[in-house]
Amino acid sequence: MDLKPIYTEPENCQDCYKCVRECPVKAIQIEDNKAYIIEERCIYCGHCTQVCPTGAKKIRDGVSRTRLILQNYPRVILSLAPSWACEFEDLSIGQLIAAIRKLGFSGVSETAIGAELVSSRVSDYLQQSQPGVYISSACPVVVEYIRKYSTEHTPAITPMLSPMLAHARILKDYYGNDLKVIFAGPCICKKLEADHFKDLVEVAITFKDLKNWFEKENIHPEQLAPAAEDHFIPWQAGIGSLYPVEGGMLPGIDGESKKIVKMAFSDLSNIKDVIKNLDTRREKDTIFLELLACKGGCINGPAKLSQTSLAIKRYNIQQHRAAHPESTVPDLGHIDLTTTFKAYDCSAARHTEEEIKQALSAVGKNSPEDELNCSGCGYDSCRDFAVALVEGRAEENMCVSYMRRVAHDKATVLLQKIPAGVLLVDNDLKISDMNSSYYDLRGKIVQAERRIAVLTERGEMWAQYNEYKTVHKQLARVKPEKRELFEQRHSRELILYDAAARYLKELKDSGEEITPKAWQREIDLLTAQKQVDTIDMKAMREELKAVERLRKAADQLARQERDKPRDRGPER
């Protein structure tokens, strides 16, 4: 299964529920005390990757696939998001382009070119449409939010491709369909867009990916002397370079025959308020809303590099725009940017009051007074938590007050059942040390997991090699004049075959034998032993937790005894 743009590394997840609290659409499922992304509910705003205290929420890396494409295709252009001007502010245009070309790209083009065409097409669309409220399709996070959680407004989204996709279509029209386009910017949701439009954009990477790639290749852009060819192609963008700031799209929206009222809002919390109870039916006016999920615009995207003030970032964008006047642009009227957006309702299903009461009762909340709404579980209210329980997105042990009560009730029973063990305590019954069995066992499990991952990867590469071997053999029999067409039609299969073949060759060259059956047998043995060790580890963990709970209970009893008023007896 393909890795999604945002995913969880379970080993790093510490069940703090911060991602549940912070997620604007609660697209998080807790399973075995680990927080996983619910793909169909997620809008890929990337906020969870910013707030996760342990770094368990990860952004899918696109550099590996990009390198593979650069190795297999002669013409690959990087579509650079316009917020580059405030992310790489210490570099000249030439230095940045020179550094990107050293990575293997044949050229660099501004995504803002696509933005300008989008603005032009939206203007025409608004002129020809009936009065009403229309919403920009430029921000993929906003589009995902409306499609999934405000479905009644889906028809109001202007039916145009985003600037990234429009730019890719322009480049392929200009240079030919065999051109490969890679996007780089501060937006994580662009990875989702690229996944859905693989015929236009091969891979979307972030500015962080790009910067790390420079470092790994030992490329220092600030030290480069740009050559004559280190400039944006096929032409330099103009007004589209304002797109990454709030309101940046609006200057490009105009009309000759009809007045268009233009408004801009940013920050998803604001946007929720804007479209809540929004009546899109208008009798006279046409209202156009530029909605950007990130506060201040794309300059504040989740994968941004710079932490500079938004005011300075906006200033840098405006200065860049002022320094570069409009270029001469060829006629692009034949390029089709139209698309459609389908609603996919993910809003909370309606549950019966009885279902909610049963869920509340399961965590000891049998009356309104029991509903503390403390948000310890990550949900705003106990009833929201109950809905998540009904839908299987939450677990009962997420409720802090419930678990505190359970721990108290079971303390006496657990005391009688704890087996003998090595435990050091001080005079106050506070645990000062414990045996290393738990840690040794955990290390054994981690070692097994790593070995299983290695063997699984080998098995997958072996399967991938065999799956596409036939296409590779067919290529060898293709006539030279038909070879390029065959490679274009089967580019994906050939890339996957080459990657698998190279992987297996490197494995064999390192001294490893190619033994798929033996790999699977070892995986089965390691998995079985890991399951046994995991059960032992969990049992040991629960025993240690029980001792700690008993210690706390003893401390509390001691405090109560100490604070109890004493009977001094009759005065004499």
Side-chain angles (χ1 to χ4, degrees):
M1 186 172 65
D2 291 338
L3 197 62
K4 299 306 173 184
I6 301 175
Y7 62 97
T8 298
E9 281 193 349
E11 292 303 322
N12 291 337
C13 184
Q14 300 298 318
D15 63 353
C16 67
Y17 311 136
K18 189 167 187 179
C19 57
V20 179
R21 278 189 291 276
E22 296 281 348
C23 179
V25 293
K26 305 302 181 196
I28 304 291
Q29 177 171 351
I30 304 299
E31 184 177 344
D32 294 331
N33 296 323
K34 305 297 181 183
Y36 297 94
I37 305 293
I38 304 175
E39 177 191 348
E40 59 270 18
R41 293 179 62 91
C42 185
I43 58 175
Y44 295 98
C45 64
H47 188 53
C48 59
T49 66
Q50 296 174 292
V51 302
C52 180
T54 62
K57 293 293 178 288
K58 299 293 185 182
I59 304 172
R60 184 184 68 198
D61 173 42
V63 173
S64 299
R65 277 190 61 202
T66 301
R67 281 175 166 164
L68 197 60
I69 291 168
L70 289 171
Q71 291 171 6
N72 288 276
Y73 294 93
R75 297 196 304 161
V76 184
I77 288 180
L78 184 72
S79 173
L80 193 64
S83 51
W84 71 265
C86 63
E87 293 293 290
F88 299 94
E89 57 181 316
D90 295 332
L91 301 177
S92 68
I93 295 176
Q95 286 176 322
L96 180 58
I97 294 175
I100 293 172
R101 293 181 71 245
K102 284 181 72 69
L103 294 174
F105 290 92
S106 51
V108 183
S109 186
E110 291 182 279
T111 315
I113 289 175
E116 292 170 359
L117 186 57
V118 169
S119 292
S120 174
R121 296 298 172 80
V122 170
S123 293
D124 294 341
Y125 175 78
L126 295 176
Q127 290 294 315
Q128 298 166 9
S129 300
Q130 295 295 319
V133 178
Y134 297 90
I135 300 172
S136 167
S137 61
C139 177
V141 176
V142 170
V143 170
E144 287 298 295
Y145 177 78
I146 293 175
R147 286 182 56 244
K148 295 179 178 181
Y149 298 97
S150 189
T151 55
E152 70 275 16
H153 294 126
T154 303
I157 302 174
T158 52
M160 302 294 165
L161 294 175
S162 72
M164 177 186 79
L165 300 175
H167 184 220
R169 186 154 284 178
I170 292 171
L171 292 176
K172 285 179 177 287
D173 178 80
Y174 196 89
Y175 293 107
N177 279 325
D178 61 331
L179 176 76
K180 301 300 178 183
V181 178
I182 309 295
F183 173 82
C187 178
I188 298 173
C189 198
K190 288 297 182 186
K191 292 177 179 284
L192 183 70
E193 251 193 329
D195 291 346
H196 291 166
F197 291 87
K198 292 182 179 180
D199 59 322
L200 293 177
V201 177
E202 298 291 324
V203 186
I205 63 175
T206 66
F207 283 148
K208 288 183 179 179
D209 291 335
L210 186 60
K211 182 175 182 293
N212 291 337
W213 195 359
F214 286 153
E215 293 173 354
K216 287 181 180 178
E217 297 295 333
N218 200 27
I219 296 174
H220 303 281
E222 70 280 359
Q223 298 177 6
L224 298 178
E229 60 270 22
D230 291 326
H231 57 82
F232 286 125
I233 58 173
W235 59 84
Q236 186 151 340
I239 197 171
S241 59
L242 295 175
Y243 253 64
V245 300
E246 181 179 347
M249 180 183 185
L250 301 185
I253 305 296
D254 53 20
E256 298 177 358
S257 60
K258 183 169 63 174
K259 179 182 178 182
I260 301 172
V261 180
K262 300 176 287 186
M263 304 179 189
F265 300 91
S266 69
D267 192 349
L268 198 55
S269 60
N270 289 336
I271 289 169
K272 286 182 178 182
D273 292 336
V274 169
I275 63 179
K276 186 178 180 181
N277 300 322
L278 176 65
D279 184 2
T280 57
R281 295 170 298 176
R282 310 292 297 178
E283 295 183 0
K284 297 181 179 180
D285 302 324
T286 292
I287 300 176
F288 178 71
L289 302 178
E290 177 206 281
L291 303 181
L292 300 174
C294 298
K295 183 184 293 186
C298 307
I299 56 176
N300 197 30
K304 62 182 181 294
L305 291 173
S306 172
Q307 302 301 321
T308 304
S309 162
L310 290 179
I312 301 302
K313 286 188 173 186
R314 188 179 182 104
Y315 171 80
N316 288 337
I317 294 292
Q318 291 173 336
Q319 289 297 105
H320 170 71
R321 165 70 185 108
H324 298 90
E326 300 288 340
S327 301
T328 301
V329 179
D331 181 18
L332 303 175
H334 60 287
I335 297 178
D336 182 18
L337 298 188
T338 58
T339 188
T340 57
F341 298 100
K342 295 181 180 179
Y344 180 80
D345 195 356
C346 289
S347 54
R350 295 191 178 277
H351 301 287
T352 65
E353 186 64 21
E354 182 61 27
E355 289 176 315
I356 294 176
K357 283 184 177 180
Q358 288 180 0
L360 289 170
S361 179
V363 289
K365 301 186 184 302
N366 300 304
S367 68
E369 291 74 20
D370 294 330
E371 299 177 26
L372 303 178
N373 298 327
C374 67
S375 297
C377 61
Y379 290 88
D380 296 332
S381 70
C382 293
R383 291 184 69 84
D384 288 345
F385 175 58
V387 170
L389 283 174
V390 173
E391 295 179 353
R393 293 184 283 117
E395 296 178 332
E396 294 174 2
N397 60 8
M398 294 169 63
C399 179
V400 178
S401 61
Y402 169 69
M403 290 305 295
R404 186 182 298 118
R405 187 161 53 251
V406 169
H408 179 271
D409 293 343
K410 292 185 176 181
T412 303
V413 177
L414 287 172
L415 179 62
Q416 304 303 322
K417 293 187 176 181
I418 294 175
V422 179
L423 196 66
L424 301 179
V425 298
D426 58 20
N427 293 334
D428 295 324
L429 293 181
K430 293 182 179 179
I431 298 173
S432 61
D433 201 359
M434 65 182 68
N435 58 17
S436 61
S437 299
Y438 172 81
Y439 296 99
D440 293 341
L441 193 58
R442 181 68 196 131
K444 185 179 177 183
I445 292 173
V446 170
Q447 187 176 6
E449 289 174 340
R450 290 173 178 170
R451 179 60 178 168
I452 289 171
V454 170
L455 294 171
T456 301
E457 183 182 55
R458 292 179 182 179
E460 291 173 348
M461 282 299 182
W462 173 254
Q464 183 173 308
Y465 172 85
N466 284 288
E467 182 178 357
Y468 301 111
K469 183 167 57 178
T470 303
V471 177
H472 180 73
K473 289 182 178 180
Q474 292 174 353
L475 175 64
R477 297 194 295 269
V478 173
K479 295 180 180 180
E481 62 271 18
K482 296 183 178 180
R483 187 179 182 88
E484 183 177 356
L485 179 61
F486 184 90
E487 288 178 338
Q488 290 177 359
R489 288 179 176 176
H490 300 278
S491 61
R492 179 177 177 274
E493 295 97 318
L494 293 172
I495 289 174
L496 292 173
Y497 171 83
D498 290 342
R502 186 161 50 252
Y503 176 92
L504 294 172
K505 182 180 182 303
E506 291 174 358
L507 186 64
K508 192 173 182 180
D509 291 344
S510 68
E512 290 281 348
E513 294 183 1
I514 308 301
T515 54
K517 292 183 178 179
W519 294 340
Q520 188 57 51
R521 284 196 299 271
E522 186 177 355
I523 288 174
D524 294 340
L525 289 172
L526 287 171
T527 301
Q529 184 59 49
K530 177 190 160 189
Q531 290 174 344
V532 173
D533 292 340
T534 299
I535 292 172
D536 292 342
M537 183 191 70
K538 287 182 177 179
M540 187 180 300
R541 184 191 301 163
E542 291 305 315
E543 291 167 6
L544 294 173
K545 286 182 178 179
V547 173
E548 178 64 12
R549 288 195 291 267
L550 287 170
R551 181 194 65 76
K552 291 181 178 179
D555 284 347
Q556 186 176 4
L557 288 172
R559 285 194 299 270
Q560 291 175 351
E561 186 66 21
R562 187 167 54 246
D563 297 336
K564 186 185 299 182
R566 303 296 181 181
D567 185 2
R568 299 181 181 179
E571 292 184 358
R572 296 183 180 178

